[in-house]
Amino acid sequence: MQALGYFLKMFFGSAALGTLTGLISAISLKHFDLRKTPSLEFGMMIIFAYLPYGLAEGIKLSGIMAILFSGIVMSHYTHHNLSPVTQILMQQTLRTVAFMCETCVFAFLGLSIFSFPHKFELSFVIWCIVLILVGRAVNIFPLSFMLNFFRDHKITPKMMFIMWFSGLRGAIPYALSLHLGLEPIEKRQLISTTTIVIVLFTILLLGGGTMPLIRIMDIEENQSRRKNKKDINLSKTQKMGNTIESEHLSELTEEEYEAQIFQRQDLKGFLWLDAKYLNPFFTRRLTQEDLLHGRIQMKTLTNKWYEEVRQGPSGSEDEDDEAELL
């Protein structure tokens, strides 16, 4: 009961803190118009992004949980209160930082294999891997079955199996294993070594076998390719970029947004509440003037970049090349 109470406190306390911080950031950037100063706008977004993590860690809650829920809320509301320039800047900056952090963590993880003393117990490793797989199955299959009662697009048994198989371990469990205050030191070494082995097992074996397994089970992309009879192979980065830009760079005015809501008769529950009340309350709808200003700002920056790129070594543009380009 004590463990259950501690879990509920950590989960709901961290989620509430992250959600509240995200909503505060949305209201702040809605009522304080910083779109004419992208650098200040970007700085405020960075502060609001880190704030829930620092607050949660300061009051002994989970910073990871807080920043997760804050990110969900800020992506849904706060992001749309930014100028188009800052939206693009935030996306590309955070994607770059995330890639660099992930690379550094895995480099540290790889170096730790040869840098720290280890204590390896084969039976302990095997039991941990087995229990991890059992734990994922106990979570994924019953919860997916319950979710299917509330979803229009059902989670198929094949998808459930892929979700179970592709559960990778990485930076977070290894970082947690390093912070365990176990005594004597042999216990900490055993936990750290076992965590490294599990991370390598899940990434190399499960992660490496996920795509071949998807092809064998013939789901989603393979089915759509056969239907379209086209061999289109987009990289993960291209897919992510297309998704981000199509979702986040919308240019709906107040009237267009209202018209879109009235056309959507299939919205119900929280989706209807969010579209009708929450989204208009926490996000700033563009006026025609805002839309025009944003386009002028983007065009000005594009022209400035083009002039700098086209600048020749002597300080003047190559008119022949430019005429040919035009």
Side-chain angles (χ1 to χ4, degrees), residues 92-103:
Q92 301 305 321
T93 301
L94 295 184
R95 285 176 64 183
T96 304
V97 172
F99 173 76
M100 292 176 62
C101 291
E102 186 178 20
T103 302

Side-chain angles (χ1 to χ4, degrees), residues 29 34 37-50 82 86 89-90:
L29 289 174
L34 303 176
T37 54
S39 58
L40 180 58
E41 197 175 33
F42 178 79
M44 290 295 294
M45 278 294 289
I46 293 295
I47 292 173
F48 278 120
Y50 184 74
L82 304 174
T86 310
L89 180 61
M90 284 295 300

Side-chain angles (χ1 to χ4, degrees), residues 104-255:
C104 291
V105 168
F106 277 99
F108 177 75
L109 183 64
L111 292 173
S112 65
I113 299 175
F114 309 99
S115 302
F116 302 136
H118 298 289
K119 183 176 177 59
F120 181 80
E121 291 287 347
L122 181 61
S123 60
F124 186 64
V125 171
I126 293 175
W127 273 109
C128 284
I129 292 175
V130 170
L131 292 175
I132 283 174
L133 295 177
V134 171
R136 281 188 63 82
V138 171
N139 277 273
I140 288 175
F141 291 101
L143 291 178
S144 299
F145 180 77
M146 292 172 57
L147 283 173
N148 281 338
F149 287 103
F150 307 97
R151 288 173 60 95
D152 295 326
H153 302 283
K154 307 299 182 183
I155 305 174
T156 64
K158 289 183 178 180
M159 293 179 183
M160 295 180 194
F161 183 80
I162 293 296
M163 291 164 60
W164 169 79
F165 183 84
S166 60
L168 309 184
R169 297 319 195 268
I172 294 176
Y174 182 65
L176 293 174
S177 70
L178 296 178
H179 287 81
L180 288 176
L182 296 177
E183 295 295 340
I185 193 172
E186 286 79 10
K187 288 185 178 180
R188 278 182 289 174
Q189 292 174 354
L190 177 62
I191 295 296
S192 299
T193 303
T194 304
T195 305
I196 292 175
V197 174
I198 293 173
V199 169
L200 294 176
F201 172 81
T202 56
I203 291 176
L204 298 179
L205 187 63
L206 301 184
T210 299
M211 285 306 297
L213 183 63
I214 290 176
R215 294 192 184 99
I216 292 173
M217 298 184 71
D218 196 29
I219 63 175
E220 292 187 339
E221 288 187 332
N222 290 342
Q223 290 179 351
S224 63
R225 285 177 187 172
R226 283 203 299 271
K227 289 179 181 178
N228 297 330
K229 296 182 180 179
K230 295 180 180 179
D231 188 15
I232 301 174
N233 185 19
L234 291 178
S235 69
K236 181 180 178 182
T237 307
Q238 283 179 295
K239 290 181 182 179
M240 185 182 299
N242 292 342
T243 303
I244 287 176
E245 303 206 353
S246 64
E247 287 181 355
H248 289 282
L249 295 182
S250 59
E251 294 182 336
L252 294 179
T253 61
E254 184 73 35
E255 295 79 8

Side-chain angles (χ1 to χ4, degrees), residues 23 253 322:
L23 294 177
T253 61
E322 185 172 359

Side-chain angles (χ1 to χ4, degrees), residues 287-305:
T287 63
Q288 292 294 341
E289 182 181 356
D290 294 332
L291 196 59
L292 179 62
H293 176 75
R295 289 174 177 172
I296 292 175
Q297 191 180 30
M298 293 293 293
K299 187 174 182 179
T300 302
L301 290 173
T302 304
N303 291 338
K304 183 179 179 181
W305 169 83

